[in-house]
């Protein structure tokens, strides 16, 4: 059995290997002249600030490049896998945790976003939510094909949403699919959407666990994931992007919840996460896992001191 | 080749003949510098002296420690070799967190019942004051790699990976590895779920201290405890504690929950050091030595719960073990003269009792037709328990067993009727062990 197919873009461009995230970040963080101009505008007093640019693009396929990027022969490195398993709390087996498949495949999605014809700025993108469907567990010796593209541009109160879709396939078909939803803050290509922006009411339940996340957890996750986004690395680099301290990587928190919820799901399952307030490091995160009678579990993480919601999600059998 | 197969032996009675422990000391105090081996050997020698076992070869000595140095891989055997027992007495280490002592007893009692051994000592020891401190995983990994290196260059390369922060010692962790919550925080969650009041918890603590003090004052422990390093009573015992004093303490656990925090240092067990033993034998062995069987081992049961995913409280496994044990033995929860429920926290005892009294819970979680019901609280921990005595993790089981065997013997002697006790010990990892003993 494989995952049911979904619409793919008309053209597929093949890359000879998974691109380096470092190079993609470097590209993303090199300001283009338009951004410099916008930044200049941002430090002006409100009255002098030019009106927010609100481009209107009515055709989804014109706004997002109708192309998917594809890399064949992707495989996991056993040492890298072990380090990931150690950090996230997965058992040290040959199985690739669903979160590790994300780590291996996601640079291809980053390359989609870093392409010159991608309509939204890569720097400062906010991860809103993530969904992964797992058809079967991949193992360390396998090679697979990664295909990634962008889809579903839509308006949001604070900017524009976009889905990055990443598929991992074996010769039979798609066995793992991730949909990562990002928000390009302050870039309005599709209006403001109908999201009221009201924060979800949250009352902390009784916890089932506690994560003491040290100041270095962002760096540790960067080391095992290769994702060296400066907002996770240190207070100094995070400040440059408007965060008071380094923040935990969303996929670290989601994958750790997935590890904690083991072995409640079967072989085929979906794993979702919705991010609320970022985790400012260091922090003690309270976590509650609630098993479902039909298998799977829901999970939620919050600041154990303030009670503010950080993330919530579900693991459900497919 | 034989013509017939061998047949199973008839079961024999395993009886508790006596016990001995050293007083329990508060961590970092009187027993600072005493090792697990020092303390367990002292407890063994006290038992040997009391029952005239000098130079005797016993069937087996089985005990354990929860916090153990790696060099103590044969802690119990080494203690036997250092004791007055015959050096030909076999021994082994066993560990089931706080249920270690009870599990050691179940193990030797079963061997005696099967006729594999005729006599044994079960026990446990723990010290927080002499706890192992390890080096960091990164330093350890570098040292191991360096030790396997074939050239100086390889060795230097392995050691070069060590960073200054890797040199910090790694203290033994007290949190549950899979949840990151301490045992106190776990119990605080269960306490909140069952809405156990501060007053009820303080009353359990108050009774523990006063029952233990009364037992000491009545001479109950005269043949159960041997002084050690100048201590002749449990150091944690507060004979003069009052409900007012207990009520004045600030909460220690559950402070980040949305419900009021009710667990304090007064109604939670203190970290303590100590060792305990219990002497178990078949009737014939006891008779030959003119020793009086005090209590007979009836049956035991262990259970485990899924606290990792919040399905059950960390310390609630005995709640699940007891109904299985009762059913197998055709007993109800009310058929006991004594209940020894280990006081990891006062709230542990209360959530355990509350669960057994809850119809809905017993039906859905324990698959019982109805609630097990309430117990007579006058029969609970009548000579005090861990809140007053302290709880050197592995030493608690034999402390309870030696005491309850004596209680059963006294009760049977005064009433002329058999007496029965239920022993329940919760443990880290969502584990629990329970046992039934009867007057012998």
């Amino acid at each position: 059995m494989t995952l049911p197919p979904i619409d793919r873009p008309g053209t597929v461009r093949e890359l000879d290997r998974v691109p380096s995230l470092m190079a993609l970040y470097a590209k993303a963080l090199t300001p283009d002249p338009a951004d410099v101009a916008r930044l200049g505008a941002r430090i002006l007093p409100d009255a002098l600030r030019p009106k927010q640019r609100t481009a209107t693009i009515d055709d989804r396929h014109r706004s997002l490049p109708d192309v998917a990027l594809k890399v064949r022969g992707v495989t996991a490195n056993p040492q890298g896998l072990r380090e990931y398993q150690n950090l996230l709390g997965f058992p040290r087996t040959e199985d690739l945790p669903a979160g590790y498949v994300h780590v291996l495949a996601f640079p291809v999605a980053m390359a989609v976003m870093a392409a010159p014809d991608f309509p939204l700025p890569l720097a400062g993108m906010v991860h809103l939510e993530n969904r992964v469907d797992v058809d079967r567990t991949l193992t360390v010796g396998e090679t697979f094909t990664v295909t990634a593209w962008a889809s579903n541009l839509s308006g949001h109160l604070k900017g524009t949403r976009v889905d990055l879709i990443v598929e991992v396939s074996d010769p039979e078909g798609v066995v793992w699919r991730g949909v990562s939803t990002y928000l390009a803050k302050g870039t309005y290509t599709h209006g403001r959407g109908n999201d009221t922006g009201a924060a979800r009411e949250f009352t902390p339940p009784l916890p089932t666990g506690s994560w003491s996340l040290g100041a270095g957890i962002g760096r540790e996750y960067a080391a095992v994931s290769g994702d060296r986004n400066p907002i996770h690395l240190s207070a100094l680099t995070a400040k440059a992007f408007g965060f008071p301290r380094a923040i935990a990587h969303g996929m670290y928190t989601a994958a750790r919840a997935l590890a904690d919820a083991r072995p409640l799901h079967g072989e085929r399952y979906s794993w979702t996460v919705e991010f609320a307030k970022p985790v400012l490091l260091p922090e003690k995160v309270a976590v509650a896992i609630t098993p479902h009678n039909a298998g799977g579990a829901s999970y939620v993480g919050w600041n154990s001191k303030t009670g503010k919601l950080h993330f919530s999600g579900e693991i459900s059998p497919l | 080749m034989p013509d017939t197969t061998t047949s199973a032996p008839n079961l024999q009675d395993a009886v508790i003949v006596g016990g001995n422990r050293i007083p329990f000391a508060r961590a970092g105090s009187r027993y600072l510098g005493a090792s697990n081996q020092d303390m367990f050997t002292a407890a063994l020698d006290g038992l040997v002296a009391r029952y005239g076992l000098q130079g005797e070869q016993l069937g087996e000595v089985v005990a354990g420690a929860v916090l153990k140095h790696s060099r103590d891989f044969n802690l119990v055997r080494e203690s036997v070799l250092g004791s007055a027992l015959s050096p030909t007495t076999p021994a082994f280490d066993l560990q089931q967190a706080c249920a270690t002592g009870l599990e050691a007893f179940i193990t030797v009692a079963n061997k005696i019942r099967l006729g594999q051994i005729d006599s044994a000592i079960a026990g446990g020891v723990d010290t927080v004051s002499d706890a192992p401190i390890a080096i960091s995983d990164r330093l350890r990994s570098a040292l191991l790699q360096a030790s396997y290196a074939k050239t100086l260059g390889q060795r230097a390369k392995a050691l070069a990976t060590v960073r200054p922060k890797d040199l910090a010692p790694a203290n033994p962790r007290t949190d549950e590895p899979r949840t990151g919550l301490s045992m106190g925080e776990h119990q605080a969650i269960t306490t909140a779920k069952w809405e156990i009041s501060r007053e009820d918890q303080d009353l359990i603590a108050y009774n523990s201290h006063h029952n233990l003090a009364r037992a000491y004052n009545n001479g109950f422990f005269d043949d159960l405890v041997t002084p050690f390093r100048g201590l002749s009573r449990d150091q944690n015992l507060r004979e003069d504690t009052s409900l007012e004093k207990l009520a004045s303490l600030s909460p220690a656990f559950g402070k980040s929950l949305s419900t009021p925090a009710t667990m304090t240092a007064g109604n939670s067990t203190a970290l303590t050091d100590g060792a305990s033993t219990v002497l178990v034998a078949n009737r014939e062995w006891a008779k030959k030595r003119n020793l009086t069987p005090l209590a007979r081992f009836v049956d035991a049961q262990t259970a485990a719960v899924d606290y990792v995913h919040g399905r059950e409280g960390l310390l609630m496994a005995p709640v699940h073990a007891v109904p299985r044990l009762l059913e197998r033995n055709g007993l109800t929860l009310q058929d006991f003269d004594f209940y020894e429920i280990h006081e990891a926290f006062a709230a542990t005892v209360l959530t355990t009792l509350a669960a057994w009294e809850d119809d809905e819970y017993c039906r859905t979680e324990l698959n019982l037709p109805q609630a097990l019901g309430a117990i007579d609280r006058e029969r609970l921990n009548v000579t005090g328990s861990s809140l007053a005595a302290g709880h050197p993790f592995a030493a608690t089981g034999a402390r309870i067993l030696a005491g309850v065997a004596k209680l059963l013997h006294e009760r049977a002697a005064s009433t002329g009727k058999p007496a029965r006790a239920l022993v329940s010990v919760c443990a880290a990892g969502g584990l629990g062990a329970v046992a039934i003993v009867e007057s012998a």
Side-chain angles (χ1 to χ4, degrees):
Chain A
M1 201 156 39
T2 52
L3 294 172
I6 57 171
D7 281 350
R8 284 188 180 187
T11 39
V12 175
R13 195 157 67 80
E14 206 159 318
L15 307 178
D16 57 357
R17 68 185 119 90
V18 175
S20 142
L21 274 182
M22 282 309 281
L24 294 171
Y25 274 125
K27 195 169 156 195
L29 300 179
T30 310
D32 80 36
D35 286 335
V36 174
R38 229 177 298 150
L39 188 71
R42 226 176 269 168
I43 52 175
L44 291 172
D46 264 355
L48 299 177
R49 208 174 278 187
K51 282 264 182 305
Q52 193 74 258
R53 201 166 49 116
T54 48
T56 47
I57 301 163
D58 42 11
D59 180 0
R60 182 173 75 110
H61 292 291
R62 214 179 61 206
S63 60
L64 282 171
D66 188 29
V67 61
L69 298 183
K70 181 170 173 176
V71 184
R72 293 174 201 269
V74 179
T75 185
N77 160 317
Q79 178 64 23
L81 171 65
R82 251 193 317 276
E83 285 165 10
Y84 180 91
Q85 289 166 332
N86 274 350
L87 183 67
L88 276 301
F90 286 97
R92 279 190 273 184
T93 64
E94 306 276 282
D95 293 346
L96 309 187
Y100 195 60
V101 179
H102 175 89
V103 161
L104 292 176
F106 197 68
V108 185
M110 277 289 285
V112 170
M113 290 196 277
D117 52 354
F118 189 72
L120 303 170
L122 180 51
M125 282 264 207
V126 179
H127 200 173
L128 290 180
E129 54 194 66
N130 206 85
R131 177 189 169 99
V132 170
D133 289 343
V134 179
D135 172 66
R136 70 172 179 87
T137 302
L138 293 154
T139 57
V140 75
E142 287 186 72
T143 57
F144 39 84
T145 300
V146 175
T147 312
W149 69 94
S151 173
N152 295 331
L153 270 187
S154 64
H156 183 278
L157 185 77
K158 291 181 175 163
T160 306
R161 285 168 59 116
V162 64
D163 286 346
L164 270 297
I165 297 169
V166 180
E167 290 187 339
V168 172
S169 322
D170 67 8
E172 308 287 310
V174 178
V175 294
W176 184 104
R177 179 185 295 124
V179 180
S180 301
T181 304
Y182 281 87
L183 169 68
K185 256 189 168 172
T187 305
Y188 294 88
T189 63
H190 279 65
R192 292 187 174 243
N194 47 17
D195 190 340
T196 61
R200 185 149 73 88
E201 279 290 313
F202 174 69
T203 314
L206 287 173
T208 59
S210 165
W211 302 343
S212 291
L213 304 187
I217 199 67
R219 287 188 295 276
E220 287 177 56
Y221 185 72
V224 303
S225 67
D227 187 349
R228 291 187 175 78
N229 187 333
I231 58 174
H232 306 306
L233 298 185
S234 69
L236 199 66
T237 51
K239 271 191 188 116
F241 294 87
F243 294 99
R245 301 198 298 276
I247 65 171
H249 198 293
M251 292 311 287
Y252 167 86
T253 58
R256 196 155 163 194
L258 178 66
D260 280 4
R262 282 186 66 260
L264 300 175
H265 57 73
E267 169 90 353
R268 291 185 101 234
Y269 62 95
S270 73
W271 160 45
T272 66
V273 62
E274 210 176 304
F275 299 110
K277 290 245 176 302
V279 178
L280 297 173
L281 299 170
E283 198 201 291
K284 199 168 243 193
V285 177
V287 180
I289 308 234
T290 312
H292 296 159
N293 287 337
S298 48
Y299 63 89
V300 59
W302 66 95
N303 183 310
S304 60
K305 281 219 177 71
T306 65
K308 287 257 168 47
L309 178 68
H310 286 315
F311 55 86
S312 59
E314 305 236 343
I315 294 143
S316 335
L318 274 182
Chain B
M1 292 293 281
D3 294 330
T4 57
T5 55
T6 53
S7 59
N10 290 328
L11 291 186
Q12 305 186 31
D13 280 350
V15 294
I16 296 174
V17 174
N20 182 59
R21 66 179 177 96
I22 58 173
F24 295 165
R26 287 179 71 94
S29 176
R30 299 293 277 273
Y31 297 171
L32 198 61
S35 69
N36 274 335
Q37 203 184 121
D38 294 340
M39 292 193 290
F40 193 63
T41 308
L44 272 181
D45 275 342
L47 187 77
V48 167
R50 182 167 300 136
Y51 295 98
L53 304 174
Q54 291 84 350
E56 282 242 28
Q57 176 187 311
L58 297 186
E60 203 138 47
V61 179
V62 180
V66 173
L67 294 177
K68 203 161 99 165
H69 294 269
S70 54
R71 64 167 182 266
D72 281 341
F73 59 92
N74 242 342
L75 170 67
V76 183
R77 172 63 179 150
E78 291 300 329
S79 301
V80 167
L81 286 173
S83 77
L85 287 170
S86 160
T88 58
T89 299
F92 68 91
D93 285 34
L94 171 153
Q95 212 251 59
Q96 196 184 39
C98 301
T100 299
L102 180 52
E103 192 61 76
F105 166 74
I106 295 166
T107 301
V108 300
N110 281 335
K111 283 194 174 200
I112 290 168
R113 292 190 75 201
L114 287 168
Q116 294 166 351
I117 51 176
D118 58 3
S119 58
I121 295 170
V125 56
D126 255 295
T127 166
V128 182
S129 307
D130 188 40
I133 292 175
I135 59 173
S136 73
D137 279 345
R138 282 179 50 95
L139 177 57
R140 192 167 54 84
S141 160
L143 291 174
L144 285 169
Q145 267 182 30
S147 76
Y148 292 126
K150 295 207 165 57
T151 67
L152 195 63
Q154 283 176 346
R155 188 164 305 150
K157 201 175 149 201
L159 293 176
T161 63
V162 176
R163 298 282 167 267
K165 66 167 187 180
D166 301 338
L167 301 176
N171 289 314
R173 53 187 295 180
T174 52
D175 295 346
E176 280 294 324
R178 283 178 192 276
T179 61
L181 291 169
S182 69
M183 198 172 269
E185 289 302 325
H186 266 290
Q187 179 58 52
I189 293 163
T190 317
T191 306
K193 211 176 255 177
W194 285 95
E195 298 174 347
I196 304 296
S197 75
R198 166 77 185 263
E199 291 70 29
D200 287 355
Q201 294 175 54
D202 285 348
L203 184 62
I204 292 277
Y206 174 89
N207 286 338
S208 190
H209 284 279
H210 286 268
N211 288 347
L212 183 69
R214 191 182 330 104
Y216 266 112
N217 295 338
N218 292 344
F220 182 79
F221 291 110
D222 287 356
D223 58 356
L224 289 171
V225 175
T226 308
F228 184 66
R229 302 217 171 175
L231 209 56
S232 55
R233 278 189 182 196
D234 303 312
Q235 197 184 358
N236 195 54
L237 173 59
R238 298 276 175 278
E239 196 165 353
D240 58 350
T241 197
S242 64
L243 287 171
E244 292 71 35
K245 246 184 219 168
L246 287 163
S248 71
L249 300 171
S250 320
F253 300 108
K255 290 188 285 192
S256 64
L257 301 181
S258 48
T259 50
T262 55
M263 294 170 57
T264 67
N267 59 39
S268 308
T269 47
L271 291 174
T272 37
D273 308 333
S276 65
T277 59
V278 59
L279 179 60
V280 197
N282 63 27
R283 289 185 190 274
E284 194 189 330
W285 186 94
K287 197 173 173 191
K288 256 194 217 155
R289 285 158 187 81
N290 267 329
L291 298 173
T292 312
L294 304 176
R296 180 178 67 88
F297 169 65
V298 178
D299 198 0
Q301 177 73 47
T302 57
V305 293
D306 179 10
Y307 66 98
V308 180
H309 307 112
R311 283 203 170 111
E312 183 56 285
L314 175 72
L315 301 179
M316 294 290 270
V319 174
H320 297 250
V322 162
R324 297 176 209 168
L325 185 65
L326 293 177
E327 197 197 354
R328 190 161 62 231
N329 290 278
L331 295 169
T332 73
L333 185 59
Q334 290 68 37
D335 292 337
F336 295 89
D337 300 272
F338 300 103
Y339 301 88
E340 285 287 341
I341 303 179
H342 160 52
E343 295 166 342
F345 302 88
T348 313
V349 177
L350 292 166
T351 48
T352 299
L353 297 177
W356 286 334
E357 288 171 23
D358 191 298
D359 230 34
E360 165 82 17
Y361 173 91
C362 285
R363 271 204 296 264
T364 57
E365 303 297 320
L366 304 180
N367 292 318
L368 297 172
Q370 65 199 39
L372 290 181
I375 65 161
D376 178 355
R377 299 277 178 106
E378 294 294 312
R379 304 175 182 184
L380 174 66
N381 299 343
V382 299
T383 54
S385 184
S386 303
L387 285 169
H391 169 46
F393 316 116
T396 288
R399 169 188 69 75
I400 293 175
L401 288 159
V404 83
K406 183 169 171 178
L407 281 173
L408 289 168
H409 180 69
E410 287 180 352
R411 174 62 57 89
S414 71
T415 61
K417 290 195 298 191
R420 184 183 300 124
L422 180 66
V423 177
S424 162
V425 179
C426 58
L431 294 165
V434 299
I436 299 172
V437 280
E438 280 179 5
S439 53

